Amino acid sequence: MDSIIGVVFPLHKNVIDFMFSNKKDVFVKYTSRQPKKTNTIIQEGMKLYIYESGGIKSIIGEAIIKKSQYLDLDSILNSYPERTMVTEEDLKAYAEGREEKKALVLELSNLMKYETPVKLLKPITMAGLYLTDERKKELFV
């Protein structure tokens, strides 16, 4: 079985624009399940591919994952003030009703927006997609 090299998560254009224009380096995502063990599938050194879901439906950038963890809202706000991919107000709105639930938090480096977006052969759902070398070859045009 191929090893996982990265993950693709969809974001709306306004979140992507805010993240890149303000150089925000902390990605927050509520997932359907939280791992029961401390080791997560997403590891340091893997890539996060940023997929624009609402508009062009393409990979528009990437970053290297420095750290992956699960944190509740208060821990996110205390650990990463001013660094999250959305404003504190938007993060609180996103977390509404899930404040005690732990979200996937990815600390990023080398955030890079592509000059030319990369089309995919199929859309990415809100759940995201783990990538292996083989799956990347199959999906990326």
Side-chain angles (χ1 to χ4, degrees):
M1 183 173 148
D2 281 342
S3 61
I4 295 172
I5 60 164
V7 62
V8 180
F9 281 124
L11 292 170
H12 289 281
K13 184 178 181 344
N14 61 335
V15 173
I16 292 168
D17 291 344
F18 179 83
M19 189 168 78
F20 280 106
S21 64
N22 294 288
K23 296 179 175 51
K24 300 299 182 177
D25 65 347
V26 175
F27 178 90
V28 178
K29 170 84 173 152
Y30 280 100
T31 57
S32 58
R33 284 190 225 130
Q34 177 182 322
K36 291 183 171 50
K37 53 189 178 181
T38 55
N39 291 341
T40 63
I41 293 172
I42 301 171
Q43 300 293 318
E44 177 182 328
M46 290 180 175
K47 284 191 178 179
L48 167 67
Y49 293 93
I50 301 162
Y51 175 82
E52 185 180 313
S53 61
I56 61 174
K57 297 190 174 159
S58 298
I59 303 286
I60 58 83
E62 67 180 54
I64 303 295
I65 298 168
K66 283 181 18 182
K67 187 175 185 180
S68 172
Q69 59 190 326
Y70 282 84
L71 299 172
D72 62 33
L73 180 62
D74 284 342
S75 297
I76 295 167
L77 294 173
N78 290 331
S79 299
Y80 300 106
E82 305 293 321
R83 291 179 58 194
T84 59
M85 62 188 197
V86 294
T87 65
E88 181 176 331
E89 179 181 306
D90 287 343
L91 184 59
K92 286 179 179 178
Y94 173 57
E96 190 171 341
R98 306 182 272 201
E99 292 86 355
E100 303 303 315
K101 182 180 179 188
K102 293 187 177 184
L104 172 64
V105 179
L106 302 178
E107 192 173 342
L108 307 172
S109 66
N110 300 357
L111 187 62
M112 176 178 67
K113 190 169 185 178
Y114 298 156
E115 286 187 34
T116 305
V118 176
K119 289 282 186 193
L120 297 184
L121 294 176
K122 71 175 197 172
I124 302 298
T125 67
M126 290 310 291
L129 178 72
Y130 294 116
L131 283 180
T132 62
D133 282 323
E134 188 63 32
R135 190 176 282 165
K136 185 177 177 184
K137 288 176 196 171
E138 292 170 0
L139 284 175
F140 284 43
V141 176

